[in-house]
Amino acid sequence: MHCPSQTPTVRLPQAPQLPHVLPALYKSQCRLSASHVDHHRARQADGHGGCTLRHAHLERRMPCPHAVAEAQQLAPDVFAETSQLQQPGREQQQINVVMKFGGSSVANADRMWEVAQIICSFPQLFPCIVLSAMGKTTNLLLQAGQEALTTNPGSVATLSPLRDIKELHRQAAEDLRVNEEAKAEMEQLLSELQQLLVGVSIMQDLTMRAKDSLVSFGERLSTRLFAAFLRKEGVAARQYDAWDLGMVSSDDFGNADVRYEQSFANIRASLTRSIGGAPEIPIVTGFLARGESTGAITTLGRGGSDLSATVIGAALNLAEVQVWKDVDGVLTSDPRLVKSARPVPLLTYDEATELAFFGATVLHPQAMQPAFQQQFHNGHRLAVRVKNSYNRAAAGTLISEERDMHDALMTSIVLKPGITLLDIVSTRMLGQVGFMATVFDIFNSNGISVDVVATSEVSISLTLDPSKMWSRDLVDAELDALVAAFKAKGIARVNYKRAMSCVSLICNVEKTSQILERVFKVLGREGINVKMMSQGASKNNISLIVSDDEGKNAVRSLHQEFFD
């Protein structure tokens, strides 16, 4: 699906009101170019009406909610018609796209205003909108939960993170000028949040189940505010918590698995519009579901809103899901690490999945699973387009089932620091049956996930990625317990090394010889020693394990070799 690069227009007030409206409408952070003001005044002198100004976000030539609110007070008759957004998808009977916006895209009232502009700039699309929590709200909620454990119940209301959450959402509600009913609903949720934190303080316990309930308030607040804002602007919209649509998951609190078959059927029934039904845009909480057995709130892991969006897209058999981020698509490396990183125009499902699992934060690691599910069951092909809400003219990245790999060599280079490397050497005879089965059974019994693996007849080297299970790093005692478990079985000697990094090369493995020749030439020149290497069975990934203090240099040097 082609996403037009042109942006919507913002109509300035008619000339007679211009002198007293302009100062309010275009403040310092939303400045209007002097040349355009001169043009406007010239049109006024010639007896012409108002003209239009294109939104160029990077130059901030667009009215913000604060300025528009003041201008509306100065000239309400002028803005009675021009301030409202246009309902998208008027001619569509059913939803034909899912748009997901992350936390930075809805960080404050200004950003919500611009997201609304994006949504309403595609009149041919009838979207379902999936939102994350505003800005850093999820982090603040987790911080509030931890601080509540050591705070007197009577002092919970004074917790700094809780105050910040309240201030952020109350200010956004004021800036967006939502109605009193929406503000009351927001205050009710904020009250429930405070009560939950008081409970944590009293019980001196923050279980994973309670933590999922705690962080759910971020998405529940952002979606209600945004839906109310759209309605205030004349756009029909309705807020949904994900479980209202029937999003069902396992009861693994903190990182639940979506129950696809059940969720697909529920969501399809909930969002299929009946003939003559109201064309309301669904505004849905990302990241959340309800456990299949407990019925309790569950979360889908960090970045789970991406997964929520693709689940809805697959359930409705849509052609495309749009994931709007704060970067110009999936990049050739982390732009914070490599300044010259640039967008990758096309990716396959497998490449996107490998990128996510090995450290790229643009997409949730499971985000492509709904596409795999639908393709397997009914042959439907769902594409995912990654776009930049701060730069909507950027083409972004299109992720689909396949692409032409004939000329492809290196796609992206990803760094995952802070991992642990284990070397496991068998103490039994060569070719002993059941060695590897016993090794992985020990990891299973200790509840530890294995990441990258390299094997030989008598040894296994592998990495552990605690970020998949813990919000903290592994402590030495846990690793020592793992080593002791192997020793008790009498099957292997185990050594581990902390502070290692995984450099993942997302590439065309059909050209391994050509790629590795260049890779090791660069690493040799830089004096970087590879501790372990593994080639993924997906034919899209080669992983190199180096020490943490060499990881960044390895990525920068390799990026320069393949992309610069």
Side-chain angles (χ1 to χ4, degrees), residues 127-401:
C128 171
I129 307 303
V130 176
L131 296 186
S132 297
M134 292 180 66
K136 300 297 183 182
T137 299
T138 300
N139 289 340
L140 289 171
L141 287 164
L142 290 169
Q143 184 182 343
Q146 290 300 316
E147 291 186 14
L149 290 170
T150 56
T151 300
N152 185 284
S155 302
V156 163
T158 66
L159 289 175
S160 177
L162 178 59
R163 291 202 310 269
D164 290 345
I165 292 167
K166 289 180 177 180
E167 180 180 350
L168 172 66
H169 290 85
R170 286 169 176 164
Q171 187 62 55
E174 287 298 320
D175 293 342
L176 295 172
R177 301 171 65 83
V178 299
N179 62 26
E180 292 305 314
E181 181 181 356
K183 290 179 182 179
E185 189 175 12
M186 178 191 71
E187 289 298 334
Q188 177 61 34
L189 279 177
L190 291 172
S191 176
E192 291 175 14
L193 167 60
Q194 183 168 317
Q195 291 171 27
L196 176 56
L197 291 170
V198 169
V200 170
S201 173
I202 293 171
M203 298 299 294
Q204 291 292 286
D205 190 19
L206 183 58
T207 64
M208 290 301 296
R209 178 170 177 164
K211 189 177 289 188
D212 275 5
S213 293
L214 176 64
V215 297
S216 75
F217 282 93
E219 280 72 14
R220 291 158 68 189
L221 285 163
S222 66
T223 50
R224 283 164 171 81
L225 270 178
F226 189 68
F229 168 61
L230 287 180
R231 290 193 296 269
K232 189 268 293 185
E233 290 294 315
V235 177
R238 180 179 176 183
Q239 189 275 344
Y240 293 91
D241 292 321
W243 50 81
D244 295 334
L245 302 179
M247 187 80 77
V248 180
S249 75
S250 66
D251 293 287
D252 300 311
F253 299 105
N255 196 20
D257 293 320
V258 175
R259 295 299 185 234
Y260 290 109
E261 187 173 348
Q262 188 175 351
S263 296
F264 285 166
N266 293 342
I267 292 167
R268 191 176 303 117
S270 297
L271 291 181
T272 298
R273 183 176 158 201
S274 59
I275 297 176
E280 296 174 316
I281 298 175
I283 311 296
V284 184
T285 58
F287 181 52
L288 307 177
R290 282 210 186 269
E292 58 185 339
S293 298
T294 62
I297 295 173
T298 57
T299 60
L300 307 179
R302 277 304 184 105
S305 293
D306 298 338
L307 178 55
S308 301
T310 54
V311 167
I312 294 172
L316 299 178
N317 289 321
L318 301 183
E320 182 172 299
V321 168
Q322 298 177 0
V323 178
W324 292 78
K325 300 281 187 175
D326 56 1
V327 291
D328 289 343
V330 179
L331 305 182
T332 52
S333 194
D334 186 339
R336 296 168 297 184
L337 181 61
V338 179
K339 300 300 182 185
S340 59
R342 56 179 182 265
V344 178
L346 299 171
L347 284 175
T348 65
Y349 293 163
D350 288 331
E351 287 175 314
T353 300
E354 294 277 357
L355 273 167
F357 270 114
F358 285 97
T361 57
V362 175
L363 284 176
H364 185 277
Q366 296 287 343
M368 301 314 303
Q369 280 302 309
F372 284 122
Q373 292 281 334
Q374 285 297 75
Q375 182 186 348
F376 177 77
H377 288 295
N378 62 20
H380 177 73
R381 297 183 178 184
L382 172 69
V384 176
R385 191 182 299 272
V386 182
K387 296 276 289 177
N388 188 352
S389 64
Y390 288 80
N391 180 23
R392 61 182 113 163
T397 299
L398 182 66
I399 305 169
S400 56
E401 179 191 7

Side-chain angles (χ1 to χ4, degrees), residues 20-40:
H20 75 280
V21 173
L22 267 179
L25 184 56
Y26 293 99
K27 296 187 174 182
S28 58
Q29 74 269 36
C30 307
R31 62 184 178 275
L32 182 64
S33 67
S35 62
H36 193 91
V37 172
D38 292 340
H39 170 67
H40 220 303

Side-chain angles (χ1 to χ4, degrees), residues 43-101:
R43 285 179 60 84
Q44 179 183 356
D46 292 340
H48 295 293
C51 62
T52 58
L53 174 65
R54 286 210 174 274
H55 168 201
H57 172 72
L58 295 179
E59 298 178 25
R60 298 297 296 150
R61 295 174 185 172
M62 176 182 173
C64 70
H66 313 276
V68 169
E70 186 174 340
Q72 284 174 324
Q73 291 178 344
L74 289 170
D77 54 324
V78 174
F79 281 87
E81 179 179 352
T82 58
S83 67
Q84 291 191 346
L85 301 166
Q86 298 300 309
Q87 183 82 31
R90 289 179 182 273
E91 304 302 319
Q92 302 297 326
Q93 178 61 33
Q94 302 295 343
I95 292 166
N96 58 6
V97 70
V98 175
M99 296 180 176
K100 179 264 175 178
F101 294 89

